Amino acid sequence: MKIIAGNWKMNKTKEDAKAFFEEYKALVKQTDNKVIVCAPFTVVKTVAKQKKKNDINVIAGAQNVHPAKNGAFTGEISVDMLKSMDCGAVIIGHSERRTMFLETDEFINEKVKATIDAGMIAIFCIGETLEEREHNQTFEVLMTQINKGLNGVTNSENLYVAYEPVWAIGTGKVATTEQIQETHAFIKELVTKQFGVDVPVLYGGSANEQNCSEIFAIQGVDGALIGGASLVASKFAAMANYQA
């Protein structure tokens, strides 16, 4: 079983999403894979309806959440608001949130806790920049992100870690098999030490329908967090249909 998580980012209206799933449902097969589509807030409910409407096995996800239950946080969305839309997962700590919106490890940690406490899946993203990798700082960066981002988290049941080398996101570049295996092994060792159980680790650097079989075959890769390829129904269905 693999976890196939799509990140639509700031793409697709409700109409676009409906058209996507009309095409997707004709292509996707019944497998043991867990499929998640993390959509813009305005489309989460549309994604959630697909399981009942079109008999599609998909979990609706969001791309952000605020850790507070409510309050004067203009433009933000709480866990309860997401749950009211039948949202079951949230991407947290994506590199775009870290760099464009200056989210700190400490703030990300609050989001992880709030999401897991609400019974939703937290897809916790970590990853190094090209400069950090070239200066042999990858493991140091990941250790800091994990230690701070998962500080005080005690329940790993709904926790997924997504390793996204920043230099491979949306660039078409994919880390080598050796780089992915080595890094996933490092992440799993750290997280297992904290929780005492295996936590799924997804790969998220330009994964697509052409390279997913090779990536999924790598030891320690439990699935993928997919960007551009998740926007195209035929490509996403091909990945969702993966079988070893």
Side-chain angles (χ1 to χ4, degrees), residues 226-241:
I226 305 142
S230 72
L231 296 171
V232 182
S234 58
K235 294 182 179 182
F236 193 59
M239 299 184 77
N241 291 338

Side-chain angles (χ1 to χ4, degrees), residues 123-135:
I123 304 175
F124 169 56
C125 300
I126 58 175
E128 82 285 3
T129 64
L130 181 60
E131 182 180 7
E132 288 165 341
R133 176 163 281 278
E134 289 179 340
H135 285 82

Side-chain angles (χ1 to χ4, degrees), residues 75-234:
E76 292 296 313
I77 301 289
S78 71
V79 290
D80 288 341
M81 292 172 182
L82 290 180
K83 290 186 73 175
S84 73
M85 296 187 289
D86 299 319
C87 181
V90 185
I91 295 173
I92 300 170
H94 192 281
S95 62
E96 291 164 1
R97 299 295 310 178
R98 292 176 185 266
T99 56
M100 295 179 188
F101 301 99
L102 308 181
E103 292 192 0
T104 64
D105 289 313
E106 290 74 17
F107 189 44
I108 290 165
N109 175 244
E110 291 181 43
K111 293 184 179 189
V112 171
K113 289 177 179 176
T115 300
I116 291 176
D117 288 347
M120 294 188 293
I121 297 167
I123 304 175
F124 169 56
C125 300
I126 58 175
E128 82 285 3
T129 64
L130 181 60
E131 182 180 7
E132 288 165 341
R133 176 163 281 278
E134 289 179 340
H135 285 82
N136 296 317
Q137 297 173 328
T138 296
F139 293 159
E140 179 184 345
V141 169
L142 298 180
M143 182 181 292
T144 298
Q145 291 174 338
I146 290 171
N147 288 342
K148 291 184 176 181
L150 298 182
N151 181 42
V153 177
T154 57
N155 180 9
S156 64
E157 185 177 348
N158 287 321
L159 174 66
Y160 300 163
V161 178
Y163 168 57
E164 295 196 306
V166 179
W167 47 273
I169 299 175
T171 63
K173 296 180 180 179
V174 180
T176 65
T177 297
E178 291 75 18
Q179 288 172 327
I180 295 172
Q181 183 169 332
E182 179 183 44
T183 308
H184 276 238
F186 175 80
I187 293 168
K188 278 186 174 286
E189 182 179 358
L190 273 183
V191 179
T192 301
K193 185 180 295 184
Q194 176 170 344
F195 296 106
V197 296
D198 183 61
V199 171
V201 180
L202 318 182
Y203 176 73
S206 294
N208 56 50
E209 79 287 359
Q210 295 179 329
N211 60 29
C212 71
S213 293
E214 181 180 353
I215 292 172
F216 289 161
I218 299 172
Q219 185 176 356
V221 175
D222 300 303
L225 180 57
I226 305 142
S230 72
L231 296 171
V232 182
S234 58

